[in-house]
Amino acid sequence: MKSVIISTKFKLFQNELLDVIDNFNEKGKLFDNRIRNKIKLFEFNGFTINVKSFKKPNFINKIVYRYFRKSKAKRSFEFANKLLENGIGTPQPIAFYENFDLIGLNDSYYISEHLNCDLTFRELVLQPDYPEWELILRKFTKFSYKLHQKGIEFKDHSPGNTLIKKNENNDYDFYLVDLNRMEFHSTMSFNMRMKNLCRLTPHKEMIAIMSNEYAKSSQESEQLIFEILWKYTSDFQNKFQRKKRLKKKFLFWK
């Protein structure tokens, strides 16, 4: 059984979109090929679409995603629309596709417009000499505060998941990607907000600038923001490095 939901403005292209899914393995330009998911680009009616194929779930998750929880493709589509409704940037959602067998979910895809960005937040982490580095970092912090004000907890708020594009007014716009892990709250506590930022950078000087800018927006104590954010950041980095060491030790043959 197949299930496909298409955004209203793309309904007329249903057959073409289904053809893209049917020929995903044979056609398209590979954009990202990770262990879990694969992304391909397709030229489509004068623009480029981004098609994300999610890893086929194991036996248990096949059942979970069929009867108890929405698939990652469906969540990505719904969360993208919800972000746009809240004035938060994300590539335009087009459709999601699910294919079920007798057991449960077999495979799924999320389709969106492809955005050619100038950089991601990762470049700010790796290239401190990037043009307008501090300006972009401060504007990104304001963007993150806007997310928190709207109660949006982006659980994959990590360096590669915010696309940054300079607009025609020489300002910067921010777009979230990899959307399947999000929660929407009426309000977010201080600690929840700080924890949401802890995966972005290991650099203390960046945390200091972000704390300063966040304090300007929130009217909260800059010192408190820095202390708590740096604590969460350090905890995350220690856990991350420990996990890497264990993986290297016990999975040395890979």
Side-chain angles (χ1 to χ4, degrees):
M1 182 180 73
K2 297 178 181 180
S3 173
V4 58
I5 299 295
I6 302 173
S7 293
T8 303
K9 62 185 291 188
F10 294 96
K11 286 281 189 183
L12 292 176
F13 306 113
Q14 177 171 332
N15 291 336
E16 291 91 336
L17 290 169
L18 289 176
D19 183 69
V20 165
I21 298 300
D22 290 340
N23 294 284
F24 180 84
N25 291 323
E26 291 75 30
K27 297 181 180 179
K29 179 181 178 182
L30 186 64
F31 181 71
D32 194 357
N33 188 18
R34 304 186 186 184
I35 296 174
R36 290 182 297 173
N37 311 310
K38 179 185 290 188
I39 298 175
K40 280 189 169 184
L41 305 182
F42 293 80
E43 295 305 314
F44 186 83
N45 284 17
F47 62 94
T48 305
I49 62 173
N50 182 304
V51 184
K52 185 172 186 176
S53 170
F54 291 93
K55 180 184 176 182
K56 291 187 177 182
N58 59 35
F59 180 80
I60 298 298
N61 284 336
K62 285 173 71 76
I63 299 171
V64 169
Y65 288 138
R66 178 67 177 92
Y67 299 103
F68 303 105
R69 194 179 184 200
K70 295 177 181 179
S71 72
K72 293 180 179 180
K74 185 173 184 178
R75 277 181 277 151
S76 297
F77 180 81
E78 291 182 350
F79 291 162
N81 281 294
K82 199 160 186 177
L83 287 177
L84 294 177
E85 289 170 8
N86 279 277
I88 302 298
T90 191
Q92 180 69 40
I94 295 175
F96 75 89
Y97 174 97
E98 299 167 316
N99 185 31
F100 299 95
D101 57 25
L102 292 176
I103 298 171
L105 181 69
N106 188 45
D107 56 332
S108 61
Y109 303 82
Y110 171 56
I111 306 175
S112 63
E113 288 193 45
H114 183 68
L115 178 69
N116 289 312
C117 64
D118 297 309
L119 70 156
T120 67
F121 189 85
R122 180 173 285 116
E123 277 69 47
L124 298 183
V125 177
L126 299 176
Q127 301 177 40
D129 58 347
Y130 193 91
E132 299 188 304
W133 179 87
E134 183 171 335
L135 175 65
I136 300 171
L137 180 58
R138 289 184 177 277
K139 287 184 175 293
F140 169 83
T141 304
K142 288 182 178 179
F143 169 74
S144 294
Y145 176 72
K146 181 181 178 181
L147 285 178
H148 295 163
Q149 283 293 96
K150 291 179 175 291
I152 300 170
E153 183 185 6
F154 182 35
K155 293 193 171 183
D156 283 323
H157 206 22
S158 54
N161 288 341
T162 299
L163 311 183
I164 306 172
K165 189 173 180 64
K166 196 168 189 177
N167 61 37
E168 57 188 15
N169 298 318
N170 288 319
D171 199 359
Y172 290 92
D173 296 322
F174 301 87
Y175 303 84
L176 300 184
V177 294
D178 203 356
L179 306 179
N180 66 86
R181 295 198 329 121
M182 307 188 80
E183 285 193 23
F184 296 82
H185 308 274
S186 55
T187 59
M188 293 177 67
S189 70
F190 177 79
N191 283 336
M192 184 186 291
R193 288 182 279 127
M194 294 302 101
K195 199 165 188 177
N196 185 240
L197 301 173
C198 75
R199 298 174 60 188
L200 289 162
T201 175
H203 301 311
K204 201 169 188 176
E205 61 272 24
M206 293 183 73
I207 297 297
I209 294 171
M210 291 171 68
S211 299
N212 175 264
E213 194 62 43
Y214 199 98
K216 290 179 182 178
S217 296
S218 67
Q219 301 299 305
E220 294 164 322
S221 166
E222 180 181 344
Q223 181 178 348
L224 180 62
I225 292 172
F226 175 79
E227 288 175 357
I228 300 302
L229 180 52
W230 180 243
K231 177 188 181 301
Y232 281 136
T233 298
S234 300
D235 290 346
F236 172 77
Q237 291 298 326
N238 290 335
K239 183 178 179 181
F240 177 74
Q241 293 302 328
R242 185 164 62 250
K243 187 176 180 181
K244 277 182 66 176
R245 288 193 298 270
L246 289 172
K247 188 175 181 180
K248 186 176 181 180
K249 181 177 180 180
F250 294 106
L251 300 176
F252 59 88
W253 66 87
K254 290 192 174 182

